[in-house]
Amino acid sequence: MRYYLFPIIILLIGCKNNGRTELTKNPILPKKKIVFEGLNRPWSIAFINDDEALVTEKNGDMVKVNLQNKTKKIIKGFPEDLTDSIGAIHIGDNSGIFDVLLHPDFKENHKLYFSYAAKKKGVGKTTKFVQAQLENDSLFDLKTILAAEPYTYINYHYGGGMAIGTDNKLYLTVGERLFWEHDEPALPIAQDAKDPRGKIHRFNLDGSIPEDNPDYGEGTVPSIFAMGIRNTQGIALQPETGSFWFTEHGTIQGDEINILKKGGNYGWPNSTTGRLRSEDYKPPQLDGVEFTSPTWFWHHTVAPTGLCFYTGDEFPQWKNDLLVPGLSRGSLWRFHIVGDTIKSAEELFLDERVRSRKVAQSPDGKLYMLTDEENGKIIQILPQ
Amino acid sequence: MRYYLFPIIILLIGCKNNGRTELTKNPILPKKKIVFEGLNRPWSIAFINDDEALVTEKNGDMVKVNLQNKTKKIIKGFPEDLTDSIGAIHIGDNSGIFDVLLHPDFKENHKLYFSYAAKKKGVGKTTKFVQAQLENDSLFDLKTILAAEPYTYINYHYGGGMAIGTDNKLYLTVGERLFWEHDEPALPIAQDAKDPRGKIHRFNLDGSIPEDNPDYGEGTVPSIFAMGIRNTQGIALQPETGSFWFTEHGTIQGDEINILKKGGNYGWPNSTTGRLRSEDYKPPQLDGVEFTSPTWFWHHTVAPTGLCFYTGDEFPQWKNDLLVPGLSRGSLWRFHIVGDTIKSAEELFLDERVRSRKVAQSPDGKLYMLTDEENGKIIQILPQ
C-alpha cells in the first residue's frame, strides 16, 4: 500500500503545480510565426483543409497555398475585368481582389464565392461578387451574384466582405465608394435603398433573393439587408448568438464595430463617431429614420478589417472572443464578449506593428493573420 | 504492475483535463465585489495588514477601515490647513486629501506619509507632503516634507502621489497647478527648476535631500528628480526592473504613462500628446532641452490616476502587469510589460464604468479599487 500511494501523491502534487505553472507559463500574450510569404498584399483566406487554403492577393491573383509544403499555385480563370492598384497614383487605392469564401458544400460541389474591383470601359469600376466552381485549380461556371452599379472612377471603399449565416444565406458588404462627403447626392448613397452601395446585402447561396429580406419599397435593391454603411471589409459570425459582427472604416476617427440587424441603418453619413472629411458638408435631414449605434468605436484610426471569432483550443481564455486586425495601427484587437456586450478590449502586438488585413482560423482551430505588404505573409499566432 | 499503473494513468488524464478546465473556467475577465462603502471620495489606501488599511477621503478624513468588520475610524490630528472641494463652485476642483503611504518600517516606528491641499490665509493653496507618527488612531509629530510653494488660488493639478523606491527614497509628485496654459510665466512652471511645481521630487525618508539627486544648478529646488510634468497623481514601482511608472493627466487627450528617469524632462507644456487648452498659447523655445517621450498615451481622455503593478496570485496571467484606473472612462486598464516595453493593453469593465481613483494590492495579494464617489467604495477585483 505504501508503494502504491507514493506515486499517486507525487502525481497529485505535480498536477497542482502543473496547473499553476501552465497558467503562468501560458500567458495571454501570443507570439507570431511566419508560415508563408511572398504574397502580393493578401486580402483574405479560405481554408480547404488544415494545410491548404485559397488566398486572395489584392494586387495579384487568387492562389492556392499549402502551408506545409510552402507551395503556391495561381488559380486560373479569374475574371479579366479585374482592376487593381498596381502603379496607383493615389496611396490607399482599394482596387484589387478582395474576399474568398467557400460554399458550405464546397467538398461536394467545389463552389466558392469571391469579390473584386471590376472595371468597365468608359464607366469606371465597382465591387463585384461572383460564384464559381473550382476544378483542377481553375475557375469555371462563373456567375455574378452582385455588381454594385453604378460604376464610378473612384478607387476607394469597395467593401468586399462576405460571410454565410446560420440561415445558410450569403451576406455581402459594399462600401459607398466615395472619398469626400461633398460628392454625396442629395440623398446620400448609403441612405438610398435604390443604390446598392453603402449596404450589406443578403442572397440565397444560388444568388437569388431570399423572401424574408427587408422590404424597402418600390424600385429599391431587393438584396439590401442593412444600410448606412461607409466601408465594411470584414463580417463574421458570433458563434454563441449567431449574429454577424462587422467592422466599418470611419473617416477621421470613427472606425467602428457593429452588430448586424435586419433593416438596420448604421447612420453614414448622417451619424458617425468620427469627423467628416468634407468639413463644410451637411447631411440632409432624414425624417423618421432611426440609426443603430455602433457596438464599439475607436478614438483613433485603426482601419479595422477582416475580423473573426476565435473558437480554437490553443488560447482557452480567448474562446469565442472577437479578434479584429487593423491596417493603420498594425495591432490585433481582442474583444471579450457576452451576448451583444463587449466586456473588455485588448490591443495586442503593440511593439511589432504591421499592417494586418485579416485574421482567420483554420478548420483545426489554428489562428492566422495576413499582412498587407508587397511581400505579404501568413503569420500563425501561437501561445508563447 | 498492472494495478500499480492504473491509478497513475487515471491521474495523468485527470491532471491534463484539470489544467485545461482551470484555464477555461478561469477567464481573464474579472468581477467586482463591493467590500466597503460610505467613503467620501476615497483617494488612496495604505494597507496596515491584510484586513486593515488607512484610506484618504478627498472630501473627508483620513480613516482606518477594517475590511472584515466593516468598521471605520477617523484618524485624529490631521492638519487644520486642509482645504477640500466640498461646496466647490467649479466642477473638478482637485482640493482635498490625497495620498497616504506607510514608512517601510511602519510596524516598528508607526511613521507614515500623507499629502493634501493646504491653504494659507491670503495667499491660497498648495500641495503639502507630511510625515507623521500614528499612535492610537491619532497623528503625532507632524513634519512637513514639502510644501510646493508658491500658494495660489487655483484649485487644480496638485499631483499628490507618493511612493518609496528600491533605493529607500521617497518620491513625490507635484502638479503644475495651472488650468490654462496662457497663465504660464515666460519660463513655464513645469520647466523651471526654481519652482517645485510640475515636478517629481526625491527625498530621504527623514525629509532630507539625497546627495545623488540631479543638479539643476544655483537657486534650484534640490529635491527635484524630474520635471516637465502637468499633473501626476499615481506613481508605482515596477517589480521586475525597479523603475517607477507614473500616470500623467493631459489636457484635451494627452493622458500619458511615463517611466521615471533621473533628470528626465517630460515636456509639459512644450511637448504633449494632447492639444493645449489655450489655443493661442505658444510655449517658448527651450534650447538644449531634451524631452522624454511617454511610454504610452491615449487618444481619448482617461484621466489615469493611482496605478499599481499586480504581483498577486489570483490572476496568474496578470503577474507583474500594470493596472491603471481612470476617472474619466471609469474602466480599468491592464498593460502587459516586458522591461520598459508595453506589449499589450487591455481595457476592462467596459460595461460597468465608475470613476475609479486608485488600484491597490493588499499584503496578501488581493486586488482592490477605490471609486471616486460621494458614497465611495472599496471594490475587490476577483477572478470570475
Side-chain angles (χ1 to χ4, degrees), chain B residues 314-325:
Chain B
E314 287 180 327
F315 300 95
Q317 305 98 329
W318 290 6
K319 201 82 169 182
N320 296 331
D321 282 1
L322 175 65
L323 301 177
V324 183

Side-chain angles (χ1 to χ4, degrees), chain B residues 232-275:
Chain B
T232 291
Q233 294 180 336
I235 176 165
L237 202 62
Q238 183 181 359
E240 291 176 307
T241 62
S243 295
F244 276 115
W245 290 52
F246 63 95
T247 53
E248 190 178 3
H249 287 185
T251 42
I252 299 152
Q253 297 151 353
D255 286 336
E256 300 176 354
I257 297 174
N258 291 287
I259 299 176
L260 184 63
K261 309 264 182 223
K262 179 180 174 177
N265 187 326
Y266 296 87
W268 181 259
N270 292 68
S271 172
T272 169
T273 52
R275 277 185 297 136

Side-chain angles (χ1 to χ4, degrees), chain A residues 101-119:
Chain A
L101 179 74
L102 303 187
H103 189 286
D105 303 322
F106 175 81
K107 274 191 184 149
E108 292 78 43
N109 66 18
H110 302 182
K111 282 182 180 167
L112 55 82
Y113 304 90
F114 59 87
S115 55
Y116 65 102
K119 64 174 182 282

Side-chain angles (χ1 to χ4, degrees), chain A residues 214-355:
Chain A
D215 182 5
Y216 288 99
E218 185 82 18
T220 59
V221 180
S223 57
I224 294 177
F225 189 73
M227 61 199 295
I229 289 155
R230 184 167 177 272
N231 192 29
T232 291
Q233 294 180 336
I235 177 166
L237 201 62
Q238 183 180 0
E240 291 177 306
T241 62
S243 294
F244 277 115
W245 291 53
F246 62 95
T247 52
E248 190 177 2
H249 287 184
T251 42
I252 300 153
Q253 296 151 355
D255 286 336
E256 300 176 351
I257 298 174
N258 291 286
I259 300 176
L260 185 63
K261 309 263 182 224
K262 178 179 176 177
N265 187 326
Y266 296 86
W268 181 259
N270 292 66
S271 172
T272 169
T273 53
R275 278 185 296 136
L276 298 183
R277 225 173 225 143
S278 306
E279 283 177 24
D280 55 344
Y281 176 69
K282 291 265 172 294
Q285 187 70 33
L286 299 171
D287 295 327
V289 177
E290 206 177 303
F291 299 130
T292 303
S293 293
T295 299
W296 177 265
F297 67 95
W298 286 271
H299 293 260
H300 45 68
T301 301
V302 166
T305 58
L307 73 181
C308 89
F309 283 88
Y310 178 73
T311 59
D313 292 324
E314 287 180 326
F315 299 94
Q317 304 100 325
W318 291 6
K319 202 84 173 180
N320 296 331
D321 283 0
L322 175 64
L323 301 176
V324 183
L327 290 164
S328 173
R329 277 167 74 98
S331 46
L332 178 67
W333 290 76
R334 180 184 64 82
F335 294 92
H336 184 72
I337 289 161
V338 174
D340 287 353
T341 305
I342 292 179
K343 292 279 184 177
S344 70
E346 182 174 25
E347 190 176 6
L348 294 157
F349 301 122
L350 283 169
D351 62 331
E352 36 185 309
R353 298 178 187 276
V354 57
R355 278 175 70 87

Side-chain angles (χ1 to χ4, degrees), chain A residues 3-4 7-8 11-12 15 18 20 22-23 28-29 296 299-300 313 316-317 329 334 336 341-351, chain B residues 3-4 7-8 11-12 15 19-20 22-24 28-29 296 299-300 316-317 329 334 336 341-351:
Chain A
Y3 298 102
Y4 182 86
I8 300 180
L11 274 167
L12 278 168
C15 191
N18 215 11
R20 171 57 49 82
E22 201 181 323
L23 277 167
I28 307 144
L29 206 72
W296 177 265
H299 293 260
H300 45 68
D313 292 324
Q317 304 100 325
R329 277 167 74 98
R334 180 184 64 82
H336 184 72
T341 305
I342 292 179
K343 292 279 184 177
S344 70
E346 182 174 25
E347 190 176 6
L348 294 157
F349 301 122
L350 283 169
D351 62 331
Chain B
Y3 299 100
Y4 181 88
I8 301 180
L11 275 166
L12 278 168
C15 188
R20 171 56 53 81
E22 203 181 321
L23 278 166
T24 313
I28 304 145
L29 205 72
W296 177 266
H299 294 262
H300 45 69
Q317 305 98 329
R329 277 166 76 98
R334 181 184 64 81
H336 184 72
T341 306
I342 293 179
K343 292 279 184 177
S344 70
E346 182 175 24
E347 191 178 5
L348 295 157
F349 301 123
L350 283 168
D351 62 332

Side-chain angles (χ1 to χ4, degrees), chain B residues 333-380:
Chain B
W333 290 76
R334 181 184 64 81
F335 295 92
H336 184 72
I337 288 161
V338 174
D340 287 352
T341 306
I342 293 179
K343 292 279 184 177
S344 70
E346 182 175 24
E347 191 178 5
L348 295 157
F349 301 123
L350 283 168
D351 62 332
E352 34 184 310
R353 297 178 189 276
V354 56
R355 277 176 71 85
S356 171
R357 173 66 79 176
K358 173 88 178 173
V359 171
Q361 195 179 296
S362 62
D364 58 348
K366 293 203 183 85
L367 191 60
Y368 295 97
M369 199 171 97
L370 306 184
T371 71
D372 181 49
E373 302 173 280
E374 280 179 25
N375 176 23
K377 296 166 190 72
I378 302 176
I379 290 173
Q380 191 180 350

Side-chain angles (χ1 to χ4, degrees), chain B residues 131-164:
Chain B
Q131 190 198 66
Q133 203 166 319
L134 184 71
E135 303 292 349
N136 300 319
D137 301 331
S138 285
L139 300 171
F140 293 95
D141 200 13
L142 275 66
K143 179 182 170 183
T144 298
I145 303 282
L146 176 68
E149 300 195 39
Y151 286 72
T152 80
Y153 284 99
I154 296 165
N155 299 316
Y156 306 101
H157 308 151
Y158 290 94
M162 297 192 293
I164 290 167

